[in-house]
Amino acid sequence: MRKQIVAGNWKMNNGLIQTKSLIVELKQQTKTSNAEVMIAPTFTNLWHAFEATRQDDIEVIAQNMHFAENGAYTGEISAGMLKSLGIQTVILGHSERRAYYNETDEALAKKVSTALENEMRVIFCFGEELSDRKAGKQEDVVKSQLVNALCHLKAQDFKHIVLAYEPVWAIGTGETATPDQAQEMHAFIRNLFRDRYNDEVAENLSILYGGSVKPSNAKEIFSKPDVDGGLIGGASLKAEDFYAIVNAF
Ligand code: 13P
């Protein structure tokens, strides 16, 4: 049985005071679904968030990391540094990292390997731009992002990989992929891993959808058979909205 996951990507939002109060509010919410709940605060607040949720059913995860173990990389954070805080999971390949910080498939392949070598779990993000979809190239784009960054891995590595399909045109725009568009892409992705690896890898891979997921549309998106959860941006910054999404399963 695949894991259902709802992860809140806080992006570059919330200083320490807001982080403290949002976590207090999150802890007051009730979870009625089986979904695993994760939050990704910014680096400077990871330690507080980790400590504050130690007793709770919330995993604190990181938004990014460098591929090197350590060294002269000013401003960067390594897997070992995250692990030293107790962080076990990292988001890699977010479209904002690809677009604004030139993260390439090649760099992401290295980051994924480093994360796995450090026994971390990866939430790997990918997705096409609007121009790709308009040209009908969304499957080609997604396939090349996945193959280039992940297909050097062995079948057993996929126990530590979660995928997050985030069409760029749906991120922060209020425009969501329709549940059918999400299902179509998620089924394509699962079949890609069935072809490249085997049924077991494909069937156990959790594939999240991200892009303008809200309490009002989460239930319909999560009802699709190949959608195993969501990576939530804006709506994860409000405790009630976030748990309405968590409980949409
Ligand atoms: P929004 O939910 O704000 O569209 O952001 C999605 C996202 O980028 C999550 O990583």
Side-chain angles (χ1 to χ4, degrees):
M1 189 60 192
R2 307 194 268 278
K3 285 186 178 130
Q4 296 175 329
I5 297 169
V6 178
N9 176 8
W10 292 8
K11 308 190 180 184
M12 198 174 75
N13 294 294
N14 291 334
L16 183 57
I17 290 171
Q18 294 98 322
T19 297
K20 284 183 175 174
S21 56
L22 181 49
I23 288 176
V24 168
E25 287 166 23
L26 289 170
K27 285 157 66 113
Q28 288 164 354
Q29 303 294 317
T30 307
K31 183 161 84 107
T32 57
S33 74
N34 287 326
E36 280 184 36
V37 178
M38 302 178 185
I39 56 171
T42 195
F43 286 128
T44 51
N45 295 321
L46 284 175
W47 174 242
H48 167 76
F50 182 80
E51 284 285 296
T53 55
R54 247 180 213 282
Q55 311 297 331
D56 300 279
D57 202 2
I58 296 175
E59 184 184 347
V60 174
I61 69 173
Q63 296 180 17
N64 182 34
M65 54 161 244
H66 199 269
F67 53 74
E69 296 290 346
N70 50 51
Y73 298 101
T74 300
E76 293 290 332
I77 309 278
S78 71
M81 291 168 186
L82 296 173
K83 288 291 297 275
S84 74
L85 300 182
I87 306 298
Q88 303 285 352
T89 302
V90 60
I91 298 172
L92 294 176
H94 194 281
S95 65
E96 288 149 16
R97 301 284 328 161
R98 294 175 190 259
Y100 307 141
Y101 307 99
N102 301 320
E103 286 201 3
T104 60
D105 291 346
E106 194 188 7
L108 289 169
K110 289 203 245 175
K111 288 188 178 199
V112 169
S113 294
T114 303
L116 296 185
E117 280 157 21
N118 282 274
E119 299 182 338
M120 294 187 77
R121 174 159 66 162
V122 172
I123 299 185
F124 185 79
C125 305
F126 55 92
E128 82 283 1
E129 313 233 357
L130 186 58
S131 56
D132 301 322
R133 187 160 276 268
K134 282 192 169 154
K137 290 194 302 193
Q138 65 272 20
E139 290 184 351
D140 294 343
V141 169
V142 160
K143 182 176 177 182
S144 85
Q145 289 173 331
L146 290 171
V147 169
N148 292 342
L150 297 180
C151 283
H152 61 294
L153 301 179
K154 298 193 180 73
Q156 69 259 30
D157 293 331
F158 284 88
K159 288 191 193 115
H160 311 289
I161 303 283
V162 171
L163 299 182
Y165 169 55
E166 299 204 304
V168 177
W169 48 272
I171 295 178
T173 58
E175 191 173 341
T176 337
T178 64
D180 287 340
Q181 282 174 321
Q183 169 57 27
E184 194 178 21
M185 182 59 87
H186 285 218
F188 169 77
I189 295 160
R190 203 175 300 289
N191 283 329
L192 173 68
F193 285 91
R194 201 184 310 282
D195 292 346
R196 289 265 166 172
Y197 292 90
N198 54 45
D199 279 341
E200 195 186 338
V201 166
E203 289 307 319
N204 290 328
L205 203 48
S206 294
I207 309 176
L208 316 184
Y209 168 80
S212 299
V213 178
K214 303 182 272 274
S216 58
N217 59 24
K219 207 172 187 63
E220 215 189 333
I221 295 171
F222 294 169
S223 71
K224 294 294 176 186
D226 287 295
V227 178
D228 306 307
L231 185 54
I232 319 301
S236 72
L237 300 173
K238 285 205 187 120
E240 253 178 57
D241 287 357
F242 185 54
Y243 269 79
I245 295 169
V246 170
N247 292 332
F249 272 107

